[in-house]
Amino acid sequence: MSSKTLKLILSLVISAFSFVRITMAGDPDILTDFIVPQGVNNVDGNFFTYTGFRALVPGSQPAPTGFKIIKATMAEFPALNGQSVSYAALQFPGGTVNPPHTHPRSAELLLVAQGSLQVGFVDTTNKLFTQKLQEGDMFVFPKGLVHFQYNDDPKTTALAISAFGSASAGTVSIPSTLFNTSIDDNVLALSFKTTVATIQSLKKAFAS
Ligand SMILES: *[C@@H]1O[C@H](CO)[C@@H](O)[C@H](O)[C@H]1NC(C)=O
């Protein structure tokens, strides 16, 4: 085999591998234009329309008093099934936080539509990346990494719209995963290098 042929084969193998990596990076591909749930017969424009974000139009709803998420994933908007995209609208009254969490199936591209946000994520080497975002700014949280958002301006509500490359990105909230499940108190006390009493007081805040 000539070295030219060998090089060609090698480059084909390498590009085939990178292709596999790309296609495996998101939701599975579907073999139809779209997926209609069982029992739905009349598919028209309404099926492809989601009106849940009308709640963001000023005056349409009372302003939230705590951090609030409106989701548009395939659970709320079934037409997204198979399309590998979804949205979330995040409302932050002054001083509220979206606690540290991860999305196991997608990166998150956040756009600040109103106000300002302190954001950050931690990579797998435990390095923290933070930014203070102004209205109009975007920030990307890489897939699967722990991240948070915080509105430190007590007077202004912040609104952010987040796009996901999955119809069902999933959310693992770190505080509730640890302190609002039945993980044994001793396991948590040893893990956090603290006492069982401290763990129980943290758990109590979630139970109420
Ligand atoms: C804790 O978990 C329960 C049961 O899953 C849930 O109803 C409750 O809202 C959670 N509490 C908090 C503060 O997340």
Side-chain angles (χ1 to χ4, degrees), residues 176 180-181 205-208:
S176 62
N180 196 23
T181 56
F206 283 89
S208 52

Side-chain angles (χ1 to χ4, degrees), residues 11 29 38 40 42 45 56 75 87 89 92 94 100 122 130 140 157 170 181:
S11 70
D29 265 338
Q38 271 183 350
V40 175
N42 275 341
L56 300 170
Y87 268 134
F92 299 83
V122 179
T130 58
V140 63
T157 292
T181 56

